[in-house]
Amino acid sequence: MSRKRVKLKINPIRAGLTAVCVVLIAFGVFSVSVNREGGGGDAGRNGAAYASLEYYDAKLRQRYEAYGAANPNMPPSEVVWRVDAGLDAPFYSNVREITDFTPPVLVNKHNRLPDGYEPEGLMYTSSGQMMTAETKTAYEALRDAAGEAGFHINAVAAYRSVEYQKGYYNKAVMERGKEAADRRVPRAGFSEHHLGVAIDLAVVGGGADEFAGTREAEWVAENAPSFGFITRYTAENADVTGYDAAPEHLTYVGAEVAGRMSAEGIGSLEEYWVRYVAYGINTSD
Ligand SMILES: [Zn+2]
């Protein structure tokens, strides 16, 4: 897969100036917090920290301040990427329809696929699952490497049509109630399975729901990024994604993205998307 969208160009002068700014801002924050004990200076203090971030959007300033005030222990950088990702609004509100399908595509409770969307070039695996060609190649490499290490896994779900997803969600609501269903199953149009890049794994002979806690799941969590997959829903990012941890659900994002997320400790596709796809200053087409 060739991606030309992310180009890292580090200008040493600019990097130096940025470092100086960061130090000055850090010193400023320190001085203000010392001088104004309990003085309600949070908005102004964090305002400078917000504005120093490369993915800061001046139009969202009031939302950063409101979200920061509601989450006083959250670092300013996290406040900004979360608001950029729309996470200050309740799930399934302020929904954006996706128009750019250059990978990685962010599909979540604020970003839906257009009505009638169908991924191109779906292929069948030997176990009868459909996924995009790149996902299939990466999945087969992952599955075979796991097998060589003594862990026998396969994909028991991959592409799902929007009609299938609708039925699947409605069934979950009937069985679990709406609130619990929403923590496990995306609504129609909001599923990565519809995009053809998500797979649900199981130990051979078992079900996807039984994957969590197995030695196979542990191996997958550790090794999936080197095959271009991320564990999309973790316990740590549950409040970002709105889903409970699902170690069986992997999303193909390509080795470059998965590797950068691992290296930089980026815990969700939402954060990656803000920093490197939607707002990154080093991103160009
Ligand atoms: Zn899944």
Side-chain angles (χ1 to χ4, degrees):
M1 190 183 68
S2 73
R3 275 197 81 227
K4 285 200 234 141
R5 305 185 63 209
V6 178
K7 277 189 211 150
L8 285 175
K9 279 187 233 145
I10 297 169
N11 176 328
I13 295 170
R14 185 170 187 162
L17 284 173
T18 305
V20 168
C21 288
V22 167
V23 169
L24 287 175
I25 287 164
F27 182 72
V29 166
F30 176 74
S31 317
V32 168
S33 62
V34 167
N35 294 338
R36 278 207 224 164
E37 235 173 297
D42 282 8
R45 182 180 80 188
N46 286 337
Y50 298 153
S52 71
L53 296 160
E54 54 199 38
Y55 45 93
Y56 171 86
D57 180 345
K59 292 192 296 298
L60 303 179
R61 189 177 57 83
Q62 287 182 335
R63 283 170 59 187
Y64 299 139
E65 283 172 7
Y67 195 67
N71 298 279
N73 298 320
M74 193 178 281
S77 59
E78 189 169 345
V79 167
V80 172
W81 74 250
R82 281 176 177 247
V83 171
D84 287 349
L87 297 171
D88 55 332
F91 291 127
Y92 291 120
S93 69
N94 287 358
V95 170
R96 188 183 69 98
E97 189 169 287
I98 297 161
T99 53
D100 183 354
F101 296 94
T102 314
V105 179
L106 182 67
V107 179
N108 64 10
K109 293 179 178 181
H110 293 293
N111 292 274
R112 79 187 303 274
L113 292 161
D115 289 339
Y117 175 79
E118 287 304 331
E120 279 170 29
L122 290 174
M123 296 178 76
Y124 277 103
T125 64
S126 55
S127 56
Q129 300 299 327
M130 270 201 279
M131 51 189 83
T132 66
E134 290 94 344
T135 308
K136 177 175 183 277
T137 303
Y139 156 66
E140 287 170 348
L142 173 76
R143 179 200 60 195
D144 294 350
E148 277 164 30
F151 301 112
H152 301 288
I153 56 170
N154 63 9
V156 293
Y159 167 77
R160 291 185 189 130
S161 69
V162 72
E163 293 76 23
Y164 184 94
Q165 190 68 32
K166 202 175 283 175
Y168 192 65
Y169 174 76
N170 289 341
K171 184 165 168 278
V173 171
M174 284 200 295
E175 285 173 1
R176 303 163 184 258
K178 199 173 174 68
E179 204 180 314
D182 272 328
R183 299 210 57 84
R184 289 290 299 167
V185 180
R187 298 181 189 174
F190 295 85
S191 173
E192 289 189 330
H193 284 282
H194 186 179
L195 199 57
V197 299
I199 57 176
D200 290 346
L201 294 176
V203 178
V204 169
D209 286 351
E210 299 158 340
F211 193 63
T214 61
R215 290 168 61 238
E216 286 81 358
E218 203 177 308
W219 187 92
V220 165
E222 200 173 314
N223 292 281
S226 41
F227 295 89
F229 286 100
I230 55 168
T231 303
R232 183 74 174 86
Y233 309 119
T234 64
E236 293 73 30
N237 71 22
D239 66 323
V240 171
T241 66
Y243 295 108
D244 292 341
E248 73 280 5
H249 179 109
L250 299 187
T251 303
Y252 181 71
V253 293
E256 186 191 332
V257 175
R260 181 179 280 157
M261 286 178 66
S262 295
E264 298 186 13
I266 296 175
S268 66
L269 191 56
E270 282 74 8
E271 180 180 354
Y272 181 89
W273 183 81
V274 166
R275 290 175 53 181
Y276 290 111
V277 180
Y279 286 85
I281 55 162
N282 296 317
T283 301
S284 60
D285 275 313

